Amino acid sequence: KVESALVPIPVSVVDAAGRAVLDLRLSDFELTVDGKPADISEMYRSETPIRLALLFDNSSSVLVAREFEKGAAIKFFRRVIRPEKDLAALYSVSTVARLEQPFTRDISSLVRSIELFPPPEGATALLEGIIQAAEYLAEVQGRRVIVIVSDGDDTKSDATLEQTLKWLQVANCQVYVVKTTDFENYKRTGLRGGNANIRQLAAERRMIEISRQTGGSVYSPIDERELDNAFRQISAELSQQYVLSYYPEDEKEKRGEFREIALAVKSKPNLTVRTRKGYYVPK
């Protein structure tokens, strides 16, 4: 019963220069839940096992940079997965989301699955793919991480953003996004940025909100160097995180409700703390 009440809180802390702060102690953190001070029970460093699902957008909207994106994803798996500890799975997302490689410690199986991706085609059921991955991750113990490689567009899902966020919070998933829109535009035009249409802006806001609510981040690379660096930064962040444990008091009266989390580092306001924004009380 105590295990089921645990709320894991993965935390990334950086200084004003963007460098990871690695020397904090449990007593340095200050947690509030619904605006009231709350006790943090334990703190672990990043040796906690990772359970990772990579969602690869393979719809017709992401054609131009597909081969390099595949290569960058392969390098990411080789960097981040520790075969003795971690598990990773691979999804493709087009008109439907499909589990291409179930959880494995074998990097070569993940590489093979990426290399065998068919050419991009079809619509994009991205939100449904995220929910499917969250359900899958919820079945295992460990730090649950979703990495999305996509332009963020969704042309097929019945699920809403709010429903997707709830699934992610219930499953305790942290989401990182490697947004491909700027990469694709740069490949076509040689220019950074461009005139984003309304659909692109909506997709961008959607990805920012998903990462913000779950304590992840969004990367928008424009070329091969920046794309590779985005995967490298995600890998580095996962290896430098703190994982705090919060055991709520009796929450029977709040079953099914969302509880808001805020976390700070005492006496160090110049530090940036990124973590999940809340959790749902189990029903």
Side-chain angles (χ1 to χ4, degrees):
K1 288 182 179 178
V2 172
E3 278 294 315
S4 65
L6 168 67
V7 179
I9 308 174
V11 187
S12 300
V13 183
V14 297
D15 62 17
R19 296 181 295 254
V21 178
L22 305 175
D23 59 351
L24 297 175
R25 298 167 297 177
L26 178 63
S27 57
D28 291 321
F29 289 99
E30 190 170 52
L31 173 68
T32 60
V33 178
D34 289 343
K36 298 177 181 177
D39 292 330
I40 303 167
S41 302
E42 298 166 300
M43 182 180 82
Y44 300 97
R45 289 306 307 274
S46 52
E47 61 268 11
T48 311
I50 293 170
R51 305 297 181 245
L52 186 144
L54 181 68
L55 268 64
F56 223 99
D57 187 340
N58 207 43
S59 66
S60 58
S61 65
V62 286
L63 288 167
V64 176
R66 169 54 66 236
E67 289 308 309
F68 191 83
E69 288 165 3
K70 286 163 64 174
I74 288 169
K75 279 195 275 188
F76 171 72
F77 275 131
R78 287 176 172 152
R79 269 193 212 109
V80 76
I81 298 303
R82 302 163 295 182
E84 72 281 3
K85 286 187 175 184
D86 302 328
L87 293 170
L90 180 70
Y91 283 84
S92 65
V93 179
S94 55
T95 305
V96 297
R98 186 168 63 203
L99 179 61
E100 302 286 355
Q101 172 59 58
F103 277 134
T104 182
R105 303 180 192 277
D106 182 16
I107 307 297
S108 62
S109 296
L110 294 161
V111 169
R112 196 177 310 115
S113 295
I114 291 174
E115 290 175 338
L116 291 174
F117 271 163
E121 64 176 1
T124 317
L126 182 58
L127 294 180
E128 289 181 3
I130 295 170
I131 290 172
Q132 194 173 323
E135 285 185 278
Y136 188 61
L137 285 166
E139 298 174 3
V140 293
Q141 296 296 317
R143 272 186 295 163
R144 299 169 185 156
V145 178
I146 296 175
V147 177
I148 300 168
V149 182
S150 173
D151 58 8
D153 201 6
D154 192 308
T155 58
K156 191 72 172 64
S157 296
D158 292 327
T160 65
L161 174 59
E162 290 72 23
Q163 289 168 333
T164 305
L165 285 170
K166 183 169 184 177
W167 273 102
L168 290 168
Q169 295 287 19
V170 167
N172 298 324
C173 293
Q174 188 175 19
V175 180
Y176 293 88
V177 180
V178 178
K179 192 167 68 68
T180 60
T181 308
D182 293 347
F183 195 120
E184 301 268 337
N185 288 341
Y186 186 76
K187 281 292 180 183
R188 289 189 179 97
T189 67
L191 300 173
R192 181 185 286 271
N195 294 322
N197 60 39
I198 292 174
R199 205 165 87 180
Q200 287 176 336
L201 291 173
E204 182 168 358
R205 285 196 294 269
R206 187 186 300 123
M207 293 297 98
I208 289 172
E209 185 64 9
I210 286 173
S211 62
R212 189 183 75 85
Q213 288 290 337
T214 63
S217 56
V218 177
Y219 297 88
S220 299
I222 65 158
D223 56 20
E224 282 85 351
R225 181 185 61 81
E226 289 189 10
L227 179 63
D228 191 48
N229 193 46
F231 280 108
R232 185 181 292 111
Q233 287 182 53
I234 296 170
S235 176
E237 182 164 319
L238 291 174
S239 70
Q240 295 165 348
Q241 279 182 331
Y242 302 91
V243 183
L244 309 180
S245 297
Y246 167 59
Y247 288 93
E249 295 179 4
D250 188 5
E251 295 184 306
K252 288 179 182 177
E253 295 180 1
K254 295 183 179 290
R255 286 176 180 167
E257 293 183 16
F258 183 76
R259 306 202 68 187
E260 189 173 321
I261 285 175
L263 192 69
V265 177
K266 299 174 188 175
S267 306
K268 295 185 179 180
N270 60 317
L271 299 182
T272 298
V273 179
R274 198 169 70 248
T275 190
R276 62 191 300 183
K277 302 303 179 187
Y279 69 96
Y280 280 90
V281 180
K283 292 184 178 180

